[in-house]
Amino acid sequence: MQNQGISPGLRARVALEKHGFSFTHSLGQNFILDDGFLDGIAAESGVGEGEAVLEIGPGPGILTSCLAARCRKVLALEIDRKLEPVLSEVLEGVDNAEVVFTDVMKCDLPALLEERFPGETVQVVANLPYYITADVIERLLTCGANIGNITVMVQKEAAERIGAQTGNKNYCALAMLTQYYCEVEELMDVPPERFMPPPHVMSRLIRLNRRTDGLRARDEKLLLRLIRSAFRMRRKTLVNNLTGDFGLSREDAEGLLRSQNLDARIRGEAMSVEQVTLLSDALGELLQARAHG
């Protein structure tokens, strides 16, 4: 093994310089090159022996190497082809890591994961560009792939929104959607100086642990529509959003809320995940009755 005894961090630094890699601001590239710190992140992810791992945004591949040492196989998705020679050198001899150059937002993720890990639950680890955090998390949660826990590095402010509770000023559609599927666990704050180049914000590592309490909407696509509707115009009451987005009369919308013991003046940010799930089921029944009426 050519790279035996050489740390992934050192391999990455040498390869980045050798191939003249330049960071692309539009891709939100900020790399961590500290082996020990990244091994700590791999440990915090809880990834274990025999498990399948999807890594999004491997960068130079140091975390990929750390994850591969802990699990059965890592599939890393990277959008930047300029990193191909770097990843090739850093991961030389790491036989249980595969890099696919694709955009996680555009590829057929369920098909890709089923091809590489048929029938398996896949754990996710990601250091996301902060401008696509919400989009990637929503895609991972709703795409239909067999995805387990998600460990992700995000901007601290985004982490606070994702973990915000009902009534908090940061509570938003992403928080409600995420907490429908997962329990949010804050792992550690990561200062800018840990990255190259340093971002202008504090980062936070969080883990989204899949809920096991059996909370499920009958129609999750309808639930997603309802969550988006609830927060579409925060100053409007939920009744107004229901009438505008689902074609309900005001009387039907108010009756729907009353059937769930909700105040007719309630706004989306005042609803718990459990309440919106039950409301989604009741809304589905109402829409189905109207369609057949």
Side-chain angles (χ1 to χ4, degrees), residues 40-46 150-153 159 184-190 203-209:
I41 289 178
E44 290 281 6
S45 74
I150 301 169
T151 303
V152 60
M153 183 83 71
V184 182
E185 181 180 1
E186 297 181 352
L187 299 177
M188 69 173 84
D189 284 347
V190 183
S203 302
R204 179 170 289 173
L205 185 70
I206 61 174
R207 187 168 62 229
L208 309 180
N209 301 305

Side-chain angles (χ1 to χ4, degrees), residues 1 11 64-65 68-69 90-98:
M1 187 184 299
R11 289 184 231 165
T64 317
S65 183
V90 173
L91 296 176
E92 183 178 355
V94 183
D95 298 330
N96 61 332
E98 177 188 3

Side-chain angles (χ1 to χ4, degrees), residues 164-177:
Q165 299 299 305
T166 308
N168 185 288
K169 67 177 182 179
N170 288 322
Y171 195 52
C172 59
L174 180 61
M176 185 179 278
L177 175 68

Side-chain angles (χ1 to χ4, degrees), residues 64-97:
T64 317
S65 183
C66 294
L67 291 167
R70 294 175 175 272
C71 72
R72 184 176 63 79
K73 182 176 179 180
V74 181
L75 174 66
L77 306 187
E78 175 56 55
I79 196 172
D80 189 358
R81 275 278 180 183
K82 298 198 307 296
L83 283 165
E84 187 168 6
V86 176
L87 283 162
S88 179
E89 292 191 17
V90 173
L91 296 176
E92 183 178 355
V94 183
D95 298 330
N96 61 332

Side-chain angles (χ1 to χ4, degrees), residues 234-249:
R234 295 182 70 103
R235 296 184 63 183
K236 284 194 172 185
T237 64
L238 189 55
V239 163
N240 285 324
N241 290 342
L242 287 169
T243 57
D245 293 337
F246 294 94
L248 300 184
S249 68

Side-chain angles (χ1 to χ4, degrees), residues 133-200:
T133 294
D135 292 337
V136 172
I137 289 176
E138 180 177 322
R139 176 156 171 72
L140 290 172
L141 294 174
T142 64
C143 71
N146 193 10
I147 289 174
N149 296 340
I150 301 169
T151 303
V152 60
M153 183 83 71
V154 299
Q155 186 175 338
K156 182 179 178 180
E157 287 75 9
E160 290 172 346
R161 289 195 297 273
I162 292 168
Q165 299 299 305
T166 308
N168 185 288
K169 67 177 182 179
N170 288 322
Y171 195 52
C172 59
L174 180 61
M176 185 179 278
L177 175 68
T178 302
Q179 292 171 41
Y180 166 75
Y181 287 102
C182 305
E183 294 179 348
V184 182
E185 181 180 1
E186 297 181 352
L187 299 177
M188 69 173 84
D189 284 347
V190 183
E193 55 267 26
R194 282 286 186 184
F195 296 85
M196 185 178 79
H200 299 295

